[in-house]
Amino acid sequence: MSDVTHAVAHLAEHVPGVPVMLLASMAALAVTAGFRTRWTRRHGHAPPTDDTGSRPPSAPAAGSGAGAGAGAGAGIGNDTAATTASDGRADDGGEGVDSALWRMRTTVRDTPGSLAALCAALAERRVDILSLQTHPLAEGTVDEFLLRAPGELTATELVEVVSAAGGADTWTERADAHDLVDAPTRVLALAARTAQDAAELPLALRQLLGRCTIRSLPAAAGGRPGGEVPPEGSLEDTVLRLRAPEGGVITVERPYLPFTPAEFARARALVELDARLGPRLPRGRDVLTLAEGSDVTVRRADTRDVPAAKAMHERCSARTLGMRYHGPVGDADRYLNHLLSPRFGRTLAAQTASGRIVGLGHLLWDGDETEVALLVEDAWQHRGIGGELLGRLVAMAAETDCASVYAVTQASNTGMVAAMRGLGLPLDYQIEEGTLVITARLDSASRAAARLPQGQRIGRD
C-alpha cells in the first residue's frame, strides 16, 4: 500500500480541494471491490487467451437452476502468464510442474449449501481455494475463484468437476503471480493513478475489467451529452456504457464474458472520480541538451496546449503538415482537440526555453491497438527531437503492456522511418498506395534488446 499512500499524500499536499473528493471516491471504489467478498489473495490481470488456456463459459449444468451468465475477472489486458500447453497444463512457470494457478468463474444457485457443495468437490480433487469473490445477480450468484490446482488437472477436467457440483456457465483462465494482489489494494492503486493523470482512465478501466476493448466517443455536435446513455450509465451483458467527464461516451466491450453489476459499479465509480478531479497532468519533465548545445524541455501536454500547438502549425511548412496529417493542410488545426485530449491517449511536447512548442508526439489508444505519431517544426527537424519523443512514447506503451505500436505515414517520410528503426525493435512494414504503416512489436524479449529511454519517465512525479 506504500505507493497508494504516497500518491494520496502527494495529492493532498499539492492539489487544493482534492482530498475530500478523492477519499470519498476511493472509499466508494473500495466498498464495491469488497462487496460480499471473502479474500485471502486477489486476482489481477487477464493475459491473452492463447497464452493462458482460457475457456469460454460452459453450457449450464443440468438441474443447476442458475439463471444468469458468469461475469469476467477484473484483470489487466496484456500481462504475460506462465506458459501452458494447449490443454491447459502448467509447465514450470513459477508454480512448478506440480501445481498451477487458475482463475475461474461459475454461476451457482443462491441457496444454502450450493457453494459448500462446490468447494467440497474442488477439495476432493486437491484444488486449493486461494480467494473467493461473489457477484450476486437477480437469479443465482457468480462466484469467482483463484485456485491452485494439481498440475495434471486440465481446464476441461476442472470445468467437469464444477459442473458436476452444480456450477453453470463456468469460465476458466490460467493465472499468474499478478493475480495474488488483494482487491482493495489494487482498486485503490488504480484510483490513485487516475487521480494523478487524466490519461490513466482508459488504462485503469482495462486493468479493472480485464481483457476488453475501450472506446471513447465524443459528444455529437448539438446533441445531448452522452447521447442516449443515462446519467448512471448502462450495462448490457458484455457491453457497458458510461458518460465521459467531457460529455462523450465511454464504451467497454468484453465479448468473451458478461460484466457483473459489481464490475459496472466499480467502473462507474472510477469514471466519477475522474470527472470530479477535472483536467490534470503530472508535472514531470526532462531537459534535453541537443547536439548543437541548445536545451529543449520534454513534458506532458493536453488540450490546454491547443493554442501553442496551433501556433506551431503556423510555423510548419505545408509539406511537413501534409506528411503528418495525410490530408488537406487547412484541416490540420481541427485534429488538435482530439489529439491532445487525455481521453484518447498521451501527448508529449518539446518546448524551448522561451516556452514555444516545437514538437509534439502522440500515443493514441485505438481500440485494442496503439498508434504513435510525431510532428516537429521545420526549423527544429534533424536534431533528434523526434527520436527522443518517439522513444519515450514507446516506453510508455511498453509500461502499459501494449503488445505493439504502429505509425501511419507516407512512404517518402524518411524521418519517421528512421525514428522507428532507431528504436531497435522488430518492425513490420505494410505499404499501399503511398501510405506506409510501420508496426513495432513490444514483447518482453524485444523490449530488453531495444534502445528505449531508461532514465526519467515523463509524466511521473
Side-chain angles (χ1 to χ4, degrees):
M1 287 291 287
S2 59
D3 291 342
V4 178
T5 304
H6 172 77
V8 174
H10 179 84
L11 285 168
E13 179 181 356
H14 293 92
V15 185
V18 164
V20 174
M21 293 186 296
L22 175 58
L23 293 176
S25 298
M26 283 184 169
L29 280 165
V31 168
T32 57
F35 180 64
R36 291 191 62 182
T37 58
R38 294 174 293 244
W39 287 92
T40 57
R41 298 179 180 88
R42 168 71 162 98
H43 60 277
H45 301 288
T49 300
D50 55 2
D51 288 344
T52 63
S54 173
R55 292 175 54 83
S58 64
S64 67
I76 299 180
N78 294 310
D79 279 5
T80 302
T83 304
T84 64
S86 59
D87 63 355
R89 297 180 187 274
D91 71 358
D92 193 3
E95 289 299 310
V97 296
D98 295 328
S99 65
L101 289 175
W102 291 92
R103 290 175 53 225
M104 181 183 76
R105 280 197 174 189
T106 190
T107 304
V108 299
R109 290 172 295 174
D110 192 11
T111 57
S114 297
L115 180 58
L118 177 58
C119 293
L122 292 172
E124 288 181 2
R125 296 300 299 267
R126 295 185 296 116
V127 177
D128 185 16
I129 300 174
L130 302 180
S131 70
L132 168 63
Q133 180 181 13
T134 63
H135 299 262
L137 302 176
E139 296 182 22
T141 299
V142 173
D143 289 328
E144 181 173 355
F145 297 85
L146 177 63
L147 306 173
R148 179 180 285 116
E152 69 272 11
L153 189 68
T154 67
T156 300
E157 292 169 336
L158 182 58
V159 171
E160 290 174 349
V161 170
V162 173
S163 297
D169 299 318
T170 303
W171 170 84
T172 63
E173 184 169 69
R174 281 297 310 277
D176 64 8
H178 293 92
D179 299 304
L180 299 174
V181 180
D182 73 280
T185 297
R186 187 162 173 274
V187 171
L188 285 171
L190 292 175
R193 284 176 46 188
T194 303
Q196 294 182 77
D197 186 353
E200 288 287 328
L201 179 61
L203 302 175
L205 287 172
R206 181 184 291 273
Q207 293 175 10
L208 181 68
L209 300 172
R211 289 180 291 109
C212 56
T213 299
I214 299 175
R215 293 184 173 88
S216 294
L217 304 176
R224 292 184 299 168
E228 300 301 321
V229 178
E232 67 276 10
S234 66
L235 171 60
E236 301 172 4
D237 199 36
T238 60
V239 179
L240 63 83
R241 295 180 176 86
L242 298 164
R243 290 273 189 94
E246 68 278 4
V249 177
I250 298 174
T251 300
V252 187
E253 300 180 17
R254 192 174 60 191
Y256 69 94
L257 210 55
F259 294 108
T260 65
E263 289 178 311
F264 175 64
R266 296 170 192 167
R268 186 172 60 191
L270 201 58
V271 173
E272 289 175 353
L273 169 64
D274 181 83
R276 291 183 182 186
L277 295 178
R280 61 207 178 278
L281 281 180
R283 294 186 296 272
R285 55 184 62 204
D286 281 345
V287 177
L288 307 176
T289 300
L290 303 180
E292 75 276 11
S294 56
D295 289 339
V296 172
T297 298
V298 179
R299 62 171 177 82
R300 289 282 300 278
D302 63 8
T303 51
R304 291 170 290 187
D305 293 293
V306 167
K310 288 182 177 179
M312 185 185 72
H313 277 179
E314 293 176 358
R315 298 189 299 270
C316 289
S317 67
R319 181 179 183 277
T320 292
L321 293 177
M323 286 279 192
R324 167 62 185 91
Y325 295 110
H326 320 295
V329 173
D331 293 337
D333 288 354
R334 295 172 48 199
Y335 303 123
L336 289 175
N337 279 306
H338 176 89
L339 293 172
L340 291 169
S341 170
R343 193 64 61 242
F344 302 104
R346 298 174 179 173
T347 296
L348 294 179
Q351 180 178 293
T352 66
S354 64
R356 174 183 291 182
I357 290 180
V358 296
L360 288 173
H362 307 284
L363 185 70
L364 302 169
W365 317 130
D366 182 17
D368 294 328
E369 300 180 318
T370 306
E371 180 182 0
V372 290
L374 297 173
L375 176 64
V376 179
E377 184 178 326
D378 293 64
W380 291 83
Q381 292 176 7
H382 309 297
R383 302 190 191 188
I385 293 176
E388 291 285 352
L389 293 176
L390 181 62
R392 283 162 172 75
L393 293 171
V394 174
M396 287 180 179
E399 289 176 358
T400 60
D401 295 317
C402 293
S404 63
V405 296
Y406 71 92
V408 180
T409 186
Q410 296 182 20
S412 57
N413 191 346
T414 56
M416 188 65 184
V417 174
M420 291 292 286
R421 292 181 63 182
L423 295 171
L425 293 166
L427 300 178
D428 297 324
Y429 300 87
Q430 292 182 330
I431 187 169
E432 184 175 350
E433 297 181 356
T435 298
L436 175 64
V437 180
I438 309 173
T439 302
R441 299 195 300 274
L442 297 177
D443 56 86
S444 300
S446 299
R447 293 201 301 265
R451 296 182 287 277
L452 300 180
Q454 300 295 323
Q456 283 186 300
R457 294 180 295 167
I458 301 297
R460 304 291 184 190
D461 286 333

